[in-house]
Amino acid sequence: MSYNDRFIKACKKQEVHTLPVWYMRQAGRYDPDYRKIKEKYSLLEICEQPELAAEVTLMPVKKLGVDAAILYSDIMNPVASIGIDFDIVKNIGPVIHNPVRTAADVEKLRPIQVEQDLSHILKTIEILNAELEVPLITFAGAPFTIASYLIEGKPSKSYIRTKEMMYSEPAVWFQLMDKLGDMVIAYLKAQIAAGAKAVQLFDSWVGSLSPKDFQTYVLPTITRIFAELNYLEQPKIYFPGVSSGELLPTLRQLEADVIGLDWRVPIAEGRQRVGSRFAVQGNLDPYILTAPMSVIQEQAKAIIDEGIRQTGYIFNLGHGLFPEASLDKLRELTEFIHAYSTEAIAKLKQGSGV
């Protein structure tokens, strides 16, 4: 079987004959085989076993036929290396045992030691790089999203403590952003050196900020991260998370290749907001997967029709898969995206005389 590089081509805004598709959280709890593994091991325990983490990463590639694998890991993994004590608690998420709330707390954070503390993750990447016939996407959590966990101590809906630091102690906030930015840069560089074919920066909760606050308190660090990775040929994706449509116009100068869109902003509108320089990725509402297959296909068809109007489009969900999603529907959806997009792209070329 030949290597499938349509995902990389789409990231680089090159022509493809079939749209690439992958799903955020595609290695996860909707898969019965994964649930069996989780009966024995926690998420962090799986991550610590490279062979097992690689096996879980490969599952959706084999079962769904997606065009990219995403590393089975967690955005919190690197923070242990900088001095954060945390657990991932069932039905809660990351729980921080030593929250970062003062200047002294920020000062204590040490530089990341990727090769020393995260060698198991690099080993997983190396295994996958040897086995995969599609590109491997690796990732990091973006500084605001990581900071929100470190400061709040657990997941939050209001981010009150996070915003309190941002507004009341900006010097402390920016020092924290600098340290987390350094962590992300070192971590992503090491992932690429280990064999990652693309990297994604997840900023799941930054949509809680106004455009002005995002530009003031967060964008400088995001800009620095992508600027420091710019010399690397591997595509870089920024996903500003849910409810981030109002932030998109602020991203126009970012040295990324792809911008991820959530389902609230149509593909055409998202392209207009970020500008023509980027490829875009998204943006089916994950919860449409609760609907009959005919409804799912109609929604996917509309998104594909918008996506193929320009080169540089990757089909994905607007956020991650949820446990109740159907493996069978996902497999059928993947097949539909491939078949319908191939036909639609061919018709588009015929109509334009290409």
Side-chain angles (χ1 to χ4, degrees):
M1 181 178 173
S2 60
Y3 187 76
N4 172 0
D5 66 347
R6 64 172 71 111
F7 165 76
I8 299 294
K9 286 182 175 178
C11 287
K12 295 182 176 182
K13 298 196 71 179
Q14 296 172 1
E15 189 177 285
V16 294
H17 301 293
T18 303
L19 283 183
V21 53
W22 69 279
Y23 305 108
M24 287 185 277
R25 291 200 199 122
Q26 66 186 18
R29 292 170 292 170
Y30 71 92
D31 184 341
D33 290 333
Y34 172 74
R35 288 200 294 268
K36 287 177 186 174
I37 292 170
K38 281 298 295 291
E39 288 173 6
K40 294 182 181 178
Y41 305 105
S42 70
L43 186 158
L44 296 178
E45 286 170 340
I46 296 171
C47 293
E48 288 165 0
Q49 301 175 68
E51 295 285 352
L52 185 57
E55 179 188 336
V56 174
T57 302
L58 286 163
M59 280 181 180
V61 179
K62 294 175 179 176
K63 293 184 181 188
L64 304 179
V66 289
D67 299 288
I70 183 152
L71 179 70
Y72 182 81
S73 187
D74 191 270
I75 63 169
M76 297 302 291
N77 270 320
V79 302
S81 181
I82 67 171
I84 298 296
D85 181 18
F86 74 96
D87 287 313
I88 296 178
V89 179
K90 188 176 180 179
N91 299 323
I92 296 176
V95 174
I96 311 300
H97 301 302
N98 55 334
V100 176
R101 291 177 181 160
T102 66
D105 294 334
V106 174
E107 196 63 42
K108 286 178 192 172
L109 298 177
R110 56 183 182 260
I112 190 171
Q113 301 293 323
V114 185
E115 287 77 10
Q116 179 179 311
D117 297 331
L118 297 160
S119 59
H120 51 288
I121 292 174
L122 302 183
K123 178 63 177 173
T124 304
I125 295 169
E126 290 168 3
I127 293 168
L128 288 163
N129 192 37
E131 293 189 23
L132 279 166
E133 292 168 333
V134 297
L136 174 66
I137 307 163
T138 65
F139 63 90
F144 177 86
T145 293
I146 295 294
S148 74
Y149 291 122
L150 302 191
I151 298 167
E152 304 290 337
K154 61 182 180 180
S156 171
K157 291 183 178 178
S158 66
Y159 309 100
I160 183 169
R161 289 180 182 271
T162 307
K163 292 185 178 185
E164 180 184 15
M165 179 188 287
M166 210 171 69
Y167 296 136
S168 303
E169 298 185 86
V172 177
W173 172 261
F174 285 118
Q175 186 182 11
L176 178 58
M177 287 293 99
D178 284 346
K179 289 197 170 192
L180 294 178
D182 291 343
M183 177 191 80
V184 167
I185 291 163
Y187 189 38
L188 292 179
K189 283 183 177 179
Q191 291 176 3
I192 289 171
K197 297 297 186 286
V199 292
Q200 176 157 312
L201 189 62
F202 280 94
D203 218 346
S204 304
W205 313 129
V206 81
S208 63
L209 298 181
S210 70
K212 182 181 177 183
D213 285 347
F214 175 72
Q215 283 183 285
T216 302
Y217 296 104
V218 177
L219 186 57
T221 307
I222 300 298
T223 300
R224 179 169 72 91
I225 289 168
F226 284 108
E228 294 211 23
L229 298 173
N230 193 43
Y231 72 96
L232 296 162
E233 66 176 7
Q234 287 80 358
K236 298 116 195 137
I237 307 166
Y238 181 53
F239 178 54
V242 294
S243 304
S244 57
E246 297 303 316
L247 306 184
L248 296 176
T250 69
L251 305 179
R252 285 174 167 256
Q253 303 308 312
L254 213 57
E255 293 181 73
D257 301 287
V258 185
I259 302 296
L261 306 176
D262 87 342
W263 64 93
R264 296 165 179 84
V265 180
I267 299 294
E269 178 64 23
R271 279 177 163 148
Q272 188 175 355
R273 292 185 189 186
V274 299
S276 59
R277 200 163 52 82
F278 301 99
V280 295
Q281 176 177 278
N283 67 342
L284 188 71
D285 183 343
Y287 292 97
I288 196 67
L289 295 168
T290 61
M293 202 63 218
S294 60
V295 177
I296 297 170
Q297 289 181 354
E298 279 303 306
Q299 292 261 5
K301 179 176 176 291
I303 291 172
I304 291 165
D305 287 343
E306 270 193 287
I308 64 173
R309 289 177 194 167
Q310 298 176 31
T311 56
Y313 172 63
I314 300 142
F315 194 102
N316 206 314
L317 304 175
H319 202 229
L321 280 166
F322 55 100
E324 297 82 4
S326 161
L327 180 64
D328 290 337
K329 284 182 179 179
L330 278 168
R331 186 185 295 115
E332 193 172 342
L333 173 59
T334 306
E335 291 170 358
F336 174 79
I337 293 162
H338 285 152
Y340 178 76
S341 68
T342 302
E343 183 183 321
I345 290 169
K347 283 182 181 176
L348 197 64
K349 284 183 182 176
Q350 286 174 353
S352 62
V354 176

